[in-house]
Amino acid sequence: ILFTDASLNNLPNGRSQGGQIVFLSDNRYSYPIFWNSSKVKRVVRSTLAAETLSLSDGCDTTLFLAYLVKAILNLDPQFPLNITAYTDNQSLYDLLYTTKQPTERRLITDIASLREMIDTKEVNVVWVDHKNQLSDVLTKSGASPHQLLESLHSAKIPFV
């Protein structure tokens, strides 16, 4: 399970910050195995762009970790990955599930890559309300850590 979020232009020099948390889950318990909070790989012009790049990085990382877990556990290569990525950006979610192209030319490739992951069923992207976005604390000062801490202590993600 991947939670990914971004904040636009909240770093020096107009940079944006992205955050990702990856949980390994057996549908009963969920344990964080990776988390990251860092600047987005390029300067962007919109929240949509920052969120897209953070989601793209998060999906790449989660796929790598899933294949690593499969190799460590010696699972059949055909064993499904069942990766679910949560974003609280409605525009990004809508764009991923339509044929509409982004207006920012630099996003066309990033959106195409994410759509391919969705089409090949490597990743399922789900919209989540910002109140349930567990990676919010990795990108925004003043964001409440309570929901994330609750999930970490209980090893459960309440709305999943």
Side-chain angles (χ1 to χ4, degrees):
I1 297 172
L2 166 66
F3 286 88
T4 179
D5 195 35
S7 287
L8 178 66
N9 298 334
N10 66 331
L11 298 175
N13 299 326
R15 299 302 298 249
S16 300
Q17 187 163 355
Q20 303 89 24
I21 302 173
V22 179
F23 290 86
L24 185 60
S25 179
D26 66 359
N27 295 325
R28 248 180 58 195
Y29 298 106
S30 299
Y31 303 98
I33 58 171
F34 174 85
W35 54 92
N36 177 51
S37 179
S38 61
K39 67 182 174 184
V40 172
K41 64 184 171 184
R42 67 175 185 257
V43 174
V44 294
R45 297 178 183 160
S46 67
T47 301
L48 174 63
E51 295 271 1
T52 299
L53 294 177
S54 184
L55 177 61
S56 180
D57 286 346
C59 286
D60 287 344
T61 299
T62 305
L63 282 167
F64 171 77
L65 292 170
Y67 286 117
L68 186 63
V69 168
K70 280 174 68 169
I72 290 169
L73 297 177
N74 199 24
L75 297 174
D76 183 336
Q78 300 305 315
F79 187 84
L81 297 176
N82 296 327
I83 295 171
T84 302
Y86 290 92
T87 179
D88 64 356
N89 187 282
Q90 186 72 52
S91 298
L92 173 56
Y93 175 80
D94 292 344
L95 189 59
L96 290 173
Y97 289 99
T98 67
T99 56
K100 185 179 172 184
Q101 290 296 330
T103 56
E104 293 182 49
R105 291 186 189 131
R106 295 186 78 183
L107 285 183
I108 292 172
T109 304
D110 299 307
I111 292 293
S113 174
L114 289 166
R115 285 178 177 161
E116 183 177 90
M117 288 181 213
I118 293 167
D119 290 345
T120 59
K121 306 216 182 306
E122 289 179 298
V123 174
N124 178 35
V125 178
V126 175
W127 179 84
V128 65
D129 188 272
H130 71 90
K131 295 179 290 193
N132 293 322
Q133 179 51 272
L134 299 183
S135 61
D136 213 31
V137 297
L138 299 175
T139 62
K140 295 168 185 71
S141 64
S144 174
H146 296 301
Q147 184 132 7
L148 176 59
L149 291 173
E150 167 98 16
S151 293
L152 295 176
H153 288 291
S154 67
K156 295 182 181 186
I157 300 170
F159 54 88
V160 173

